[in-house]
Amino acid sequence: MKALSPEVSALLDKLYNLRGDESVVLAEMNRQRNRAVETKTRTTEEKKELQIKIADLEKLYEELNDQGERLVDLLSNINRDDYATVLDRLNIDFEPQNLVEKLNKSLPRTIDSVTLDTKKAEKHLAKVEEEMNAAINTIEELNIRRDAALANQEKLNEYFELALSGRISITRDSIVSLLEQFNFTKEEQREAAKLLMFPEDALFAYDEKLKEKERSGKTFGDVFSEAKSAEPITDVEDSTDDYLEEDVTLPVEDTTVNNKDLLIQLLENNGIDYLDFTGQELDFLIANYNEELMDANIKFIKSSNVGTEIFVNHAELLIDTELQEKVTMLLDLGKEPIDIYLNPSVLEKYSKEKLSSVISALSSNGMDPKNVPLMAY
């Protein structure tokens, strides 16, 4: 008899999560879609307001030109001496030529200021429209990806049902091909294939324990949060290595186990589900665990309204010592948090110094870095 390794337990947690309504894949898509919908709603309203503002400014420009020209013509044709008796008797200060001079001096500046305000509003409108269109494209893309994810989930459930009923008849390649769609690592794909093709080695026991917890009224989320502290599942000695590729079992050191528990606790304390990360990402974070840096980066991303979902599939950012400075640099440029949320690769691609150089290069080439999409950086 041997205990099921923590890695296999975590893999089963992840697989079962993907089977249900609480799937991290679907949850992440829903989070991204909700943010995109909020952006679309906000920018649609902002676009309407800007269009009204621009229309009002254009009308003001036309009226200032038309009325100013007519008023200058009218005053220019008035001879004060023709009305001097009335004006002097009533003590009215009316000097047509002085008014003409004042109009000729002040009106052009006023018209120029209206023109400048119009250009600013039009520039802002172009940015808002770009952000709105990006959100619309994101929503459409996520709708397509969600349909594909649901189809993959249905197929995954079918494989599990066949395995648990002892009627598994699918090939290892079919399982691996499906799990590739969920961004599983090669090691996870191989281990999951073994679990499904030889369910008697671990899957039956795990599924039964899961059903017992569900019968007790606990949700999937409750079960998974308890997984790290649950007693290990035991089973017979593994006899399937002859049928599949040779498994590589790495020794688990005390430090690694401790770091894993600390990492999971840190993520949970900050409202992040560790199941959002792939096994490869978790291994990377465990190996490079830095509680102070990770906690500071998470809290900064929260406070900047970028959203902690940015770390999913970009785990390296959690231990990026320059993350806060790079995000601040982009925000100071005028980039919106949603821009950074949708383009986290720019934070991975550049160091702080290199990002500053890219921004300077854009400026020196006559481009406004604020208006250049982050995906083009």
Side-chain angles (χ1 to χ4, degrees):
M1 304 291 284
K2 70 174 184 178
L4 193 65
S5 71
E7 289 76 14
V8 172
S9 296
L11 178 58
L12 284 167
D13 289 346
K14 185 175 179 180
L15 285 165
Y16 269 77
N17 171 268
L18 292 172
R19 296 183 61 195
D21 295 335
E22 298 176 358
S23 164
V24 294
V25 172
L26 296 176
E28 171 61 15
M29 288 183 183
N30 287 335
R31 280 194 291 266
Q32 292 185 19
R33 189 180 188 282
N34 289 339
R35 290 181 70 113
V37 168
E38 291 174 1
T39 299
K40 178 187 174 184
T41 301
R42 172 179 58 79
T43 53
T44 298
E45 185 61 31
E46 194 171 355
K47 177 181 177 179
K48 292 178 181 177
E49 294 174 356
L50 284 168
Q51 287 175 328
I52 293 173
K53 179 179 180 180
I54 291 170
D56 289 342
L57 287 169
E58 289 174 343
K59 181 181 178 182
L60 177 59
Y61 175 86
E62 292 176 359
E63 290 178 347
L64 285 171
N65 273 290
D66 178 57
Q67 294 180 19
E69 183 179 348
R70 288 191 287 114
L71 184 55
V72 168
D73 288 343
L74 176 63
L75 292 171
S76 298
N77 292 319
I78 296 177
N79 186 343
R80 187 186 187 285
D81 292 340
D82 293 340
Y83 309 97
T85 301
V86 174
L87 295 173
D88 293 340
R89 186 67 178 180
L90 297 180
N91 197 27
I92 297 175
D93 183 14
F94 177 65
E95 295 292 340
Q97 292 308 311
N98 290 343
L99 291 174
V100 169
E101 291 175 6
K102 185 175 182 180
L103 281 169
N104 287 333
K105 181 179 179 180
S106 301
L107 186 58
R109 289 203 300 265
T110 302
I111 292 174
D112 287 344
S113 69
V114 172
T115 301
L116 180 60
D117 288 343
T118 303
K119 289 181 178 179
K120 287 182 179 178
E122 289 173 340
K123 187 176 181 180
H124 190 189
L125 176 61
K127 179 181 179 299
V128 168
E129 287 179 331
E130 180 183 353
E131 187 179 4
M132 181 182 70
N133 291 332
I136 292 173
N137 290 335
T138 297
I139 293 170
E140 293 175 351
E141 178 188 347
L142 287 170
N143 287 340
I144 295 172
R145 287 172 53 195
R146 180 178 173 79
D147 289 341
L150 288 172
N152 289 335
Q153 184 186 63
E154 183 178 356
K155 185 177 293 185
L156 181 65
N157 280 328
E158 177 186 347
Y159 287 0
F160 266 86
E161 289 166 6
L162 288 171
L164 290 169
S165 64
R167 295 182 291 110
I168 194 70
S169 58
I170 52 179
T171 65
R172 178 182 181 279
D173 288 344
S174 297
I175 299 173
V176 167
S177 177
L178 175 61
L179 294 179
E180 284 178 344
Q181 306 303 312
F182 292 101
N183 294 323
F184 276 64
T185 65
K186 294 295 184 183
E187 292 78 10
E188 289 174 325
Q189 293 169 23
R190 185 187 63 217
E191 185 65 26
K194 183 170 65 177
L195 291 171
L196 285 168
M197 296 181 73
F198 302 93
E200 65 275 6
D201 289 335
L203 183 57
F204 287 154
Y206 180 92
D207 189 72
E208 181 56 35
K209 289 181 72 70
L210 189 63
K211 287 178 179 177
E212 288 178 4
K213 290 181 179 294
E214 289 176 348
R215 285 193 290 268
S216 71
K218 295 180 179 178
T219 65
F220 270 124
D222 296 330
V223 173
F224 295 146
S225 65
E226 294 174 0
K228 65 180 184 296
S229 59
E231 294 183 4
I233 304 173
T234 59
D235 203 351
V236 297
E237 193 70 27
D238 192 347
S239 61
T240 64
D241 290 343
D242 294 336
Y243 297 92
L244 299 172
E245 297 178 14
E246 182 180 355
D247 289 328
V248 179
T249 304
L250 299 176
V252 180
E253 299 179 358
D254 291 341
T255 301
T256 301
V257 174
N258 186 48
N259 282 353
K260 178 181 179 181
D261 291 340
L262 291 173
L263 174 64
I264 292 174
Q265 189 61 53
L266 171 65
L267 295 174
E268 289 180 347
N269 289 344
N270 284 284
I272 301 175
D273 191 341
Y274 79 94
L275 291 172
D276 287 349
F277 297 90
T278 66
Q280 189 174 19
E281 287 178 317
L282 288 173
D283 290 342
F284 170 80
L285 293 175
I286 291 169
N288 296 276
Y289 184 72
N290 184 327
E291 181 174 351
E292 183 177 356
L293 177 60
M294 291 177 173
D295 189 57
N297 280 345
I298 292 172
K299 285 181 167 55
F300 173 79
I301 288 297
K302 279 184 176 180
S303 66
S304 63
N305 295 320
V306 173
T308 56
E309 296 89 351
I310 195 175
F311 295 119
V312 177
N313 298 322
H314 302 278
E316 296 87 349
L317 295 178
L318 275 169
I319 59 167
D320 186 343
T321 58
E322 297 181 337
L323 176 66
Q324 299 183 38
E325 294 168 291
K326 288 186 287 187
V327 170
T328 299
M329 192 182 303
L330 294 175
L331 292 174
D332 288 344
L333 276 179
K335 291 296 183 183
E336 297 291 335
I338 185 67
D339 294 333
I340 302 172
Y341 170 80
L342 294 173
N343 297 279
S345 58
V346 72
L347 300 172
E348 296 174 314
K349 184 177 180 181
Y350 297 117
S351 65
K352 176 186 66 174
E353 182 179 357
K354 185 63 177 176
L355 180 60
S356 179
S357 297
V358 170
I359 293 171
S360 297
L362 290 172
S363 298
S364 64
N365 283 286
M367 293 180 284
D368 186 348
K370 176 184 176 183
N371 295 326
V372 177
L374 283 179
M375 64 181 66
Y377 271 50

